[in-house]
Amino acid sequence: MLKAVSLSKHFMGIQALSDVTLEVVQGELLGVIGPNGAGKTTLFNVLTGLFAPDGGRILLHGRDITRLRPHRRIRLGMARTFQNLEIFRDMSVLENVMVGGHSRLRAGFGRSLFNTPAKRAEERHLREEARMLLERLGLRDVADEQAVNLSYGNQRRVEIARALAAKPAVIFLDEPAAGMNPKETEELSELIVRLKSELGLTVVIIEHDMNLIMDICQRIIVMAEGRVLTAGTPQVVRKDPRVLEAYLGSEE
Ligand SMILES: Nc1ncnc2c1ncn2[C@@H]1O[C@H](COP(=O)(O)OP(=O)(O)O)[C@@H](O)[C@H]1O
Ligand SMILES: [Mg+2]
């Protein structure tokens, strides 16, 4: 469904991505791993439109989206979460999720200046959908709490719910288990697998927790120093000596 061809991106002398070519297949759960600084987050930033690449192309169902703004990509079915938790701390859990729904509305912010009946109906609909999502993510009982009062694990779930409120076809999760304890991590991996099958999602996940990655991913892309080192099934990647080497090399 998504193709990146020869992407490159640099920041003041750092080549964060070089000649990155990859494909995301509809319906798969794809892992992206690699040592710190490998370019994983930059890859997500470029794929979702936060940064423009210096070179290369991105195709969604064959359509060139390389120059589209992030909100346009959201409407085309691409949603994400961030490595550093980005929830609205002063809003309720429900409101956080509704923000994600707003991103896909035709009217956008322009019409929301006016309190028309159509807008109120839209708002009601969003609220209803957000409640259903919260139920699905096991957050129903905390829907009206301030997001900041939730446990870290639940705040991560709120961020996922907000991304899902945009009704994406593909969701990019950037280290969703970071900072979670083993029990939260286990529950998260079950949640991701369940959401994928219930919502027919395609999932691309960056994660340092190798057990989680090896456990749930059908395919893994390994990055190192801004490049795709290798890609394959968990079994193949696990045995590839270059992968271990990349991790050891980065420790020096
Ligand atoms: N906004 C930015 N400004 C400057 N340098 C950046 C920026 N984003 C990433 N980098 C640099 O690009 C490289 C890849 O970073 P990143 O994509 O965050 O790696 P990863 O997610 O694999 O740890 C690193 O050297 C990082 O410091
Ligand atoms: Mg990162």
Side-chain angles (χ1 to χ4, degrees):
M1 72 188 300
L2 187 71
K3 223 179 239 187
V5 186
S6 202
L7 290 178
S8 62
K9 177 73 189 174
H10 81 280
F11 300 103
M12 296 168 297
I14 297 165
Q15 199 64 42
L17 296 177
S18 339
D19 196 22
V20 170
T21 292
L22 57 88
E23 235 175 302
V24 180
V25 179
Q26 180 127 23
E28 78 175 331
L29 213 165
L30 174 65
V32 179
I33 65 170
N36 276 329
K40 305 179 297 295
T41 295
T42 303
L43 174 67
F44 274 22
N45 287 340
V46 168
L47 290 177
T48 58
L50 205 59
F51 298 152
D54 302 327
R57 300 203 306 149
I58 304 161
L59 305 170
L60 181 66
H61 296 298
R63 168 177 177 186
D64 193 320
I65 60 163
T66 316
R67 299 287 148 194
L68 289 190
R69 311 289 307 155
H71 69 275
R72 299 281 310 281
R73 297 189 207 202
I74 291 173
R75 286 200 211 155
L76 291 175
M78 300 171 73
R80 71 172 298 174
T81 64
F82 290 87
Q83 180 168 353
N84 303 312
L85 197 57
E86 305 232 356
I87 60 169
F88 302 108
R89 299 163 55 87
D90 301 333
M91 288 187 184
S92 75
V93 167
L94 186 73
E95 287 163 346
N96 262 277
V97 178
M98 287 175 67
V99 169
H102 273 291
S103 62
R104 105 185 112 75
L105 291 183
R106 268 172 307 114
F109 284 113
R111 204 167 89 201
S112 56
L113 287 174
F114 307 100
N115 195 19
T116 61
K119 197 217 145 199
R120 284 197 298 275
E122 229 164 33
E123 205 70 19
R124 261 199 312 277
H125 185 62
L126 278 185
R127 189 173 295 270
E128 189 56 35
E129 282 187 341
R131 284 208 185 272
M132 272 157 38
L133 262 178
L134 287 173
E135 168 103 51
R136 208 184 263 291
L137 273 86
L139 294 170
R140 191 189 60 187
D141 295 344
V142 294
D144 300 312
E145 300 251 344
Q146 295 278 102
V148 67
N149 292 334
L150 265 55
S151 70
Y152 184 77
N154 274 346
Q155 291 189 21
R156 282 265 170 210
R157 280 175 187 240
V158 172
E159 209 195 4
I160 294 172
R162 189 179 58 200
L164 291 175
K167 298 218 167 120
V170 55
I171 184 167
F172 296 86
L173 304 172
D174 194 346
E175 298 199 28
M180 284 189 174
N181 64 39
K183 180 164 172 282
E184 287 173 329
T185 303
E186 173 77 33
E187 287 170 0
L188 177 75
S189 75
E190 281 165 17
L191 176 72
I192 293 169
V193 170
R194 182 164 60 77
L195 289 173
K196 175 186 171 313
S197 81
E198 287 178 1
L199 302 173
L201 281 173
T202 304
V203 181
V204 188
I205 177 171
I206 296 172
E207 192 38 72
H208 275 299
D209 189 310
M210 284 302 154
N211 291 329
L212 184 152
I213 284 282
M214 296 288 166
D215 205 30
I216 68 174
C217 292
Q218 283 133 16
R219 206 160 64 84
I220 296 171
I221 290 175
V222 187
M223 292 187 67
E225 295 175 354
R227 293 176 182 278
V228 174
L229 187 64
T230 183
T233 61
Q235 294 82 341
V236 168
V237 163
R238 188 187 270 138
K239 289 196 202 112
D240 191 327
R242 287 173 303 171
V243 176
L244 185 61
E245 221 171 85
Y247 275 92
L248 292 179
S250 75
E251 305 268 289
E252 287 167 3

